[in-house]
Amino acid sequence: MALITFDGYAKKYSTIKMERRDGILQMTLHTNNAELKWGMPPHEELSYAFYDIARDHENRCVIITGTGDAFCAEADAGNGRGVPIRTTGEPAPFGVKSSTWDHIYNDAKYLLMNHLNIEVPMIAAVNGPALIHAELAVLCDIVIASENAEFQDAPHFPNGVVPGDGVHVVWPLILGANRGRYFLLTGQKLSAKQALDLGVVSEVVPRDRLLPRAWELAESIIKRPSLSVRYARVAITQQIKKLMLDNLGYGLALEGLGAVQSFPGARGPKK
């Protein structure tokens, strides 16, 4: 008997709408059925949802997309953790308790590793700006975008934060070492066309064609034998998983060190 079933987790998460047809699972990210605002709920829920999806062998392909005209462009200012996030390009006056970062450190590792532990092909249908945790989209095996899509790593270095929670692995890998470092250190925003030209995405389509195209690709994929479908992703993500295992924890430690620096009392009592 399967321990994890679609009916058991499909309605478990408040920020993820799930639907499945013929083994194709679509994850739609949202906040109260509107465009997703990043914060603690989606950060935690996605790490658990990826685990559930990975362990359910009835899933044969996964599509991840956003709601409305944004994939993930805004943050909940409070976000439940005392970690201010701005996407305006100006550093936030932040400081994080070590106990808070301990929770973030643990949660962030599972977010990306459980994503990569899904052993069926993943398709990102980027329906608009992906400015926060865009790596959740670009770590997918096929990335397609609508014409209004944009890509940026807004929450980290532009916000005064070390880009260490996996983005330091993902973007230099995708863009190349020099372009990736430039992207992270300048807060560069890539348009859909630039993303296509640089190989971040493989197709740019009109907004109303985005999800139909994602489903066309998924339906084509699942025509292949089930084990070939499953083990294809295992094979093509192995090197990415190795890089992430080698570097994610260290990057998060450096990010946390920078984050606690500004917290009152982090440096000890005044002399």
Side-chain angles (χ1 to χ4, degrees), residues 175-224:
L175 291 171
N178 283 2
R179 281 195 297 255
R181 288 179 289 179
Y182 177 90
F183 176 83
L184 292 172
L185 292 175
T186 65
Q188 181 184 21
K189 187 181 290 185
L190 301 175
S191 67
K193 184 181 185 306
Q194 288 174 310
L196 180 65
D197 292 342
L198 291 170
V200 177
V201 306
S202 296
E203 296 182 18
V204 176
V205 299
R207 176 70 183 86
D208 62 352
R209 280 287 303 148
L210 183 69
L211 279 176
R213 178 56 180 153
W215 276 83
E216 286 173 4
L217 290 164
E219 288 164 354
S220 174
I221 285 169
I222 66 168
K223 290 178 181 177
R224 276 65 179 180

Side-chain angles (χ1 to χ4, degrees), residues 74-147:
E74 295 185 47
D76 176 359
N79 71 63
R81 284 189 173 144
V83 185
I85 296 175
R86 294 178 179 173
T87 57
T88 57
E90 52 185 294
F94 73 102
V96 182
K97 292 182 180 180
S98 58
S99 58
T100 302
W101 194 261
D102 178 55
H103 186 97
I104 296 172
Y105 172 84
N106 182 271
D107 196 36
K109 286 192 298 182
Y110 285 109
L111 177 67
L112 293 189
M113 294 313 302
N114 283 348
H115 183 301
L116 290 168
N117 282 336
I118 293 174
E119 294 184 342
V120 294
M122 295 187 70
I123 299 170
V126 184
N127 57 304
L131 312 181
I132 302 171
H133 283 287
E135 74 275 8
L136 295 176
V138 301
L139 273 176
C140 291
D141 309 293
I142 296 176
V143 187
I144 62 174
S146 59
E147 294 166 326

Side-chain angles (χ1 to χ4, degrees), residues 38 43 71 111 131-137 152-153 155-156 165:
W38 191 259
H43 197 284
F71 184 83
L111 177 67
L131 312 181
I132 302 171
H133 283 287
E135 74 275 8
L136 295 176
Q152 187 183 29
D153 183 49
H156 293 105
D165 62 352

